[in-house]
mmCIF file of all heavy atoms in Angstrom:
data_model
loop_
_atom_site.group_PDB
_atom_site.id
_atom_site.type_symbol
_atom_site.label_atom_id
_atom_site.label_comp_id
_atom_site.label_asym_id
_atom_site.label_seq_id
_atom_site.Cartn_x
_atom_site.Cartn_y
_atom_site.Cartn_z
ATOM 1 N N TYR P 256 -31.923 5.164 6.134
ATOM 2 C CA TYR P 256 -32.563 5.991 5.116
ATOM 3 C C TYR P 256 -32.910 5.038 3.968
ATOM 4 O O TYR P 256 -32.053 4.676 3.154
ATOM 5 C CB TYR P 256 -31.608 7.086 4.636
ATOM 6 C CG TYR P 256 -31.361 8.185 5.642
ATOM 7 C CD1 TYR P 256 -30.155 8.271 6.334
ATOM 8 C CD2 TYR P 256 -32.345 9.143 5.909
ATOM 9 C CE1 TYR P 256 -29.922 9.290 7.254
ATOM 10 C CE2 TYR P 256 -32.123 10.161 6.826
ATOM 11 C CZ TYR P 256 -30.913 10.231 7.496
ATOM 12 O OH TYR P 256 -30.699 11.240 8.409
ATOM 13 N N ASP P 257 -34.147 4.594 3.937
ATOM 14 C CA ASP P 257 -34.538 3.490 3.055
ATOM 15 C C ASP P 257 -34.251 3.770 1.580
ATOM 16 O O ASP P 257 -33.760 2.901 0.860
ATOM 17 C CB ASP P 257 -36.023 3.176 3.241
ATOM 18 C CG ASP P 257 -36.317 2.586 4.616
ATOM 19 O OD1 ASP P 257 -35.444 1.853 5.132
ATOM 20 O OD2 ASP P 257 -37.398 2.854 5.167
ATOM 21 N N LYS P 258 -34.582 4.960 1.110
ATOM 22 C CA LYS P 258 -34.374 5.273 -0.308
ATOM 23 C C LYS P 258 -32.885 5.293 -0.644
ATOM 24 O O LYS P 258 -32.469 4.778 -1.696
ATOM 25 C CB LYS P 258 -35.016 6.623 -0.654
ATOM 26 C CG LYS P 258 -36.523 6.667 -0.538
ATOM 27 C CD LYS P 258 -37.054 8.026 -0.960
ATOM 28 C CE LYS P 258 -38.587 8.085 -0.865
ATOM 29 N NZ LYS P 258 -39.044 7.992 0.532
ATOM 30 N N LEU P 259 -32.082 5.850 0.237
ATOM 31 C CA LEU P 259 -30.642 5.927 -0.017
ATOM 32 C C LEU P 259 -29.996 4.549 0.033
ATOM 33 O O LEU P 259 -29.154 4.206 -0.808
ATOM 34 C CB LEU P 259 -29.993 6.862 1.004
ATOM 35 C CG LEU P 259 -28.496 7.119 0.843
ATOM 36 C CD1 LEU P 259 -28.190 7.708 -0.525
ATOM 37 C CD2 LEU P 259 -28.002 8.049 1.949
ATOM 38 N N VAL P 260 -30.392 3.746 1.015
ATOM 39 C CA VAL P 260 -29.857 2.384 1.126
ATOM 40 C C VAL P 260 -30.236 1.561 -0.099
ATOM 41 O O VAL P 260 -29.401 0.866 -0.685
ATOM 42 C CB VAL P 260 -30.359 1.710 2.418
ATOM 43 C CG1 VAL P 260 -30.018 0.221 2.407
ATOM 44 C CG2 VAL P 260 -29.728 2.383 3.642
ATOM 45 N N ALA P 261 -31.499 1.644 -0.518
ATOM 46 C CA ALA P 261 -31.953 0.868 -1.675
ATOM 47 C C ALA P 261 -31.217 1.277 -2.946
ATOM 48 O O ALA P 261 -30.825 0.426 -3.753
ATOM 49 C CB ALA P 261 -33.462 1.044 -1.862
ATOM 50 N N ALA P 262 -31.009 2.568 -3.131
ATOM 51 C CA ALA P 262 -30.297 3.051 -4.314
ATOM 52 C C ALA P 262 -28.853 2.567 -4.310
ATOM 53 O O ALA P 262 -28.314 2.156 -5.352
ATOM 54 C CB ALA P 262 -30.346 4.575 -4.362
ATOM 55 N N THR P 263 -28.230 2.591 -3.147
ATOM 56 C CA THR P 263 -26.846 2.126 -3.033
ATOM 57 C C THR P 263 -26.754 0.630 -3.302
ATOM 58 O O THR P 263 -25.833 0.160 -3.986
ATOM 59 C CB THR P 263 -26.292 2.451 -1.629
ATOM 60 O OG1 THR P 263 -26.418 3.860 -1.388
ATOM 61 C CG2 THR P 263 -24.830 2.044 -1.509
ATOM 62 N N GLN P 264 -27.704 -0.126 -2.785
ATOM 63 C CA GLN P 264 -27.721 -1.572 -3.014
ATOM 64 C C GLN P 264 -27.907 -1.899 -4.500
ATOM 65 O O GLN P 264 -27.253 -2.791 -5.027
ATOM 66 C CB GLN P 264 -28.823 -2.224 -2.180
ATOM 67 C CG GLN P 264 -28.523 -2.253 -0.696
ATOM 68 C CD GLN P 264 -29.684 -2.765 0.132
ATOM 69 O OE1 GLN P 264 -30.855 -2.612 -0.251
ATOM 70 N NE2 GLN P 264 -29.383 -3.375 1.271
ATOM 71 N N ARG P 265 -28.800 -1.184 -5.149
ATOM 72 C CA ARG P 265 -29.018 -1.420 -6.585
ATOM 73 C C ARG P 265 -27.749 -1.147 -7.383
ATOM 74 O O ARG P 265 -27.363 -1.935 -8.258
ATOM 75 C CB ARG P 265 -30.158 -0.525 -7.099
ATOM 76 C CG ARG P 265 -31.547 -0.992 -6.759
ATOM 77 C CD ARG P 265 -32.597 -0.264 -7.587
ATOM 78 N NE ARG P 265 -32.529 1.180 -7.408
ATOM 79 C CZ ARG P 265 -33.199 1.849 -6.464
ATOM 80 N NH1 ARG P 265 -33.971 1.187 -5.611
ATOM 81 N NH2 ARG P 265 -33.111 3.161 -6.377
ATOM 82 N N ALA P 266 -27.118 -0.033 -7.094
ATOM 83 C CA ALA P 266 -25.887 0.304 -7.825
ATOM 84 C C ALA P 266 -24.809 -0.738 -7.574
ATOM 85 O O ALA P 266 -24.129 -1.188 -8.504
ATOM 86 C CB ALA P 266 -25.404 1.691 -7.411
ATOM 87 N N ASN P 267 -24.648 -1.151 -6.320
ATOM 88 C CA ASN P 267 -23.629 -2.156 -6.000
ATOM 89 C C ASN P 267 -23.921 -3.488 -6.694
ATOM 90 O O ASN P 267 -22.999 -4.149 -7.209
ATOM 91 C CB ASN P 267 -23.550 -2.366 -4.486
ATOM 92 C CG ASN P 267 -22.717 -1.309 -3.790
ATOM 93 O OD1 ASN P 267 -21.741 -0.822 -4.359
ATOM 94 N ND2 ASN P 267 -23.101 -0.950 -2.581
ATOM 95 N N ALA P 268 -25.189 -3.896 -6.696
ATOM 96 C CA ALA P 268 -25.552 -5.159 -7.338
ATOM 97 C C ALA P 268 -25.271 -5.107 -8.835
ATOM 98 O O ALA P 268 -24.764 -6.073 -9.425
ATOM 99 C CB ALA P 268 -27.034 -5.458 -7.081
ATOM 100 N N GLU P 269 -25.589 -3.988 -9.456
ATOM 101 C CA GLU P 269 -25.340 -3.836 -10.893
ATOM 102 C C GLU P 269 -23.849 -3.873 -11.194
ATOM 103 O O GLU P 269 -23.407 -4.505 -12.159
ATOM 104 C CB GLU P 269 -25.947 -2.516 -11.376
ATOM 105 C CG GLU P 269 -25.788 -2.285 -12.861
ATOM 106 C CD GLU P 269 -26.458 -1.005 -13.299
ATOM 107 O OE1 GLU P 269 -27.654 -0.829 -13.005
ATOM 108 O OE2 GLU P 269 -25.780 -0.165 -13.931
ATOM 109 N N ILE P 270 -23.063 -3.234 -10.349
ATOM 110 C CA ILE P 270 -21.607 -3.200 -10.552
ATOM 111 C C ILE P 270 -21.017 -4.595 -10.360
ATOM 112 O O ILE P 270 -20.183 -5.055 -11.148
ATOM 113 C CB ILE P 270 -20.971 -2.183 -9.582
ATOM 114 C CG1 ILE P 270 -21.402 -0.759 -9.975
ATOM 115 C CG2 ILE P 270 -19.453 -2.311 -9.599
ATOM 116 C CD1 ILE P 270 -21.198 0.251 -8.875
ATOM 117 N N ARG P 271 -21.451 -5.299 -9.310
ATOM 118 C CA ARG P 271 -20.954 -6.670 -9.073
ATOM 119 C C ARG P 271 -21.289 -7.577 -10.249
ATOM 120 O O ARG P 271 -20.458 -8.372 -10.694
ATOM 121 C CB ARG P 271 -21.549 -7.234 -7.784
ATOM 122 C CG ARG P 271 -20.920 -6.723 -6.516
ATOM 123 C CD ARG P 271 -21.265 -7.615 -5.319
ATOM 124 N NE ARG P 271 -22.715 -7.728 -5.139
ATOM 125 C CZ ARG P 271 -23.446 -6.908 -4.388
ATOM 126 N NH1 ARG P 271 -22.854 -5.897 -3.767
ATOM 127 N NH2 ARG P 271 -24.737 -7.087 -4.258
ATOM 128 N N HIS P 272 -22.505 -7.452 -10.753
ATOM 129 C CA HIS P 272 -22.912 -8.287 -11.886
ATOM 130 C C HIS P 272 -22.047 -7.994 -13.108
ATOM 131 O O HIS P 272 -21.611 -8.915 -13.805
ATOM 132 C CB HIS P 272 -24.388 -8.040 -12.212
ATOM 133 C CG HIS P 272 -24.866 -8.771 -13.429
ATOM 134 N ND1 HIS P 272 -25.078 -10.136 -13.441
ATOM 135 C CD2 HIS P 272 -25.143 -8.331 -14.694
ATOM 136 C CE1 HIS P 272 -25.472 -10.510 -14.653
ATOM 137 N NE2 HIS P 272 -25.527 -9.431 -15.423
#
Side-chain angles (χ1 to χ4, degrees):
Y256 288 106
D257 292 326
K258 295 182 179 67
L259 183 58
V260 170
T263 304
Q264 289 174 331
R265 282 194 302 271
N267 279 326
E269 182 177 307
I270 292 162
R271 283 197 303 270
H272 175 73

